Amino acid sequence: MTLSEELLMAYDRQLRTDAETPSAIGIERLGPLRLVTFAGGRGFVTYQDLAGASARTISHWVAEALAFYRSDPAIARVEWKTRGHDHAPGLHGALLDNGFEPDETESIMIGPAHSLNVQVQLPPGVSLRRVSAERDIRAMSAMQDEVFGVDASDGNADAILRRVAREDGMELWVAEHEGAIVSAGRLEPVPDTDFAGIWGGATRAEWRGQGIYRALTAARARAALALGKTLIHSDSTEYSRPILERYGLRRVSTTTPYRWRR
């Protein structure tokens, strides 16, 4: 078994469980599917595998899962998280037939946390810190919304604040210049596993290519190591993937979210 195969096996066994959705407010089962509900009217469908199901069975599951969320008027949007290495006959077509639309495919990156623990020279006037105050979190969320090209939403910041209130181990890190947040990301240690996730990495366009994202990633890796986590995982865009590859993370598979909106 290659190292990439070992890492992918650890990912499937340790992360594709309830550990994947620590902030869920409700979870229902449909065959191997986990139908997750989050605060703010968001549904999320995930699973460890599809248990060798046929295209016909998978089609029924997609329709039944969507009917479950449609029955709750509070649910405004649903994400169905697919992985490129799953055996899932007919899933793409079934999702499209039920009104889901595929989003950008990202790389599943995994590697040792210590490989990301490097020293990076920051641009003059840029500093890093961990944040927890509401004012900082709302500023961080607004910057991420802008970078990701979505409408700025108090709902996104509210969801992060609810996570912070749960004290589930999530850490929020930012890079600042003259009091303005120019880059941000979060660290999510996964309880009872070897993993911590690095998520939400966003850097303003005018600050890219200057080592800030690398420095922010290194800070989060050091925090993960301090918590006893040995592996880092992330779903990475084509912008961040090469950076993580240079520091030893491997692309073990892909993930494509399919989105439905009421």
Side-chain angles (χ1 to χ4, degrees):
M1 185 178 293
T2 67
L3 177 57
S4 293
E5 289 170 337
E6 290 177 0
L7 293 172
L8 183 58
M9 182 178 294
Y11 171 86
D12 282 340
R13 288 180 174 176
Q14 295 187 40
L15 297 182
R16 298 179 70 175
T17 66
D18 286 343
E20 185 179 12
T21 52
S23 57
I25 61 173
I27 299 177
E28 296 291 334
R29 300 282 179 172
L30 174 60
L33 307 183
R34 293 169 53 244
L35 309 183
V36 181
T37 301
F38 292 112
R42 184 163 67 94
F44 182 78
V45 182
T46 186
Y47 38 86
Q48 196 162 56
D49 61 57
L50 291 174
S54 67
R56 182 177 181 180
T57 297
I58 289 173
S59 178
H60 285 313
W61 283 339
V62 172
E64 289 179 45
L66 184 56
F68 168 78
Y69 287 115
R70 279 186 178 276
S71 69
D72 182 353
I75 298 295
R77 60 197 189 279
V78 178
E79 175 185 339
W80 187 300
K81 188 176 179 69
T82 70
R83 275 83 167 190
H85 63 285
D86 285 344
H87 178 65
L91 178 59
H92 171 75
L95 289 168
L96 295 184
D97 289 345
N98 283 274
F100 286 84
E101 297 181 356
D103 207 338
E104 178 183 0
T105 296
E106 296 184 333
S107 299
I108 299 173
M109 307 294 295
I110 304 178
H114 67 78
S115 67
L116 293 173
N117 182 14
V118 297
Q119 296 300 316
V120 181
Q121 183 67 42
L122 285 165
V126 175
S127 60
L128 307 181
R129 68 184 175 103
R130 183 181 170 187
V131 299
S132 58
E134 179 175 349
R135 178 180 177 181
D136 292 328
I137 291 171
R138 291 195 181 279
M140 180 198 76
S141 179
M143 186 279 296
Q144 290 172 316
D145 287 344
E146 180 182 333
V147 170
F148 290 138
V150 300
D151 293 336
S153 168
D154 286 339
N156 293 337
D158 290 343
I160 296 172
L161 288 165
R162 283 192 291 268
R163 284 289 309 278
V164 170
R166 289 167 65 100
E167 298 182 349
D168 61 6
M170 179 182 68
E171 298 184 9
L172 306 174
W173 288 81
V174 301
E176 293 174 304
H177 181 261
E178 296 182 351
I181 296 175
V182 300
S183 184
R186 68 185 189 272
L187 175 75
E188 297 202 13
V190 184
D192 303 318
T193 75
D194 300 321
F195 285 91
I198 53 175
W199 303 102
T203 304
R204 291 190 183 279
E206 64 271 24
W207 288 96
R208 294 173 188 166
Q210 301 181 57
I212 298 174
Y213 177 79
R214 284 182 292 158
L216 203 61
T217 299
R220 288 179 287 170
R222 286 190 288 274
L225 287 165
L227 295 169
K229 301 301 181 182
T230 58
L231 293 175
I232 295 290
H233 75 106
S234 180
D235 294 347
S236 298
T237 65
E238 285 305 292
Y239 172 75
S240 58
R241 178 183 59 80
I243 300 172
L244 297 179
E245 284 181 329
R246 285 198 292 272
Y247 290 98
L249 268 66
R250 292 173 176 250
R251 182 179 187 265
V252 299
S253 186
T254 60
T255 179
T256 305
Y258 286 70
R259 304 187 189 279
W260 174 88
R261 292 184 181 277
R262 188 177 294 277

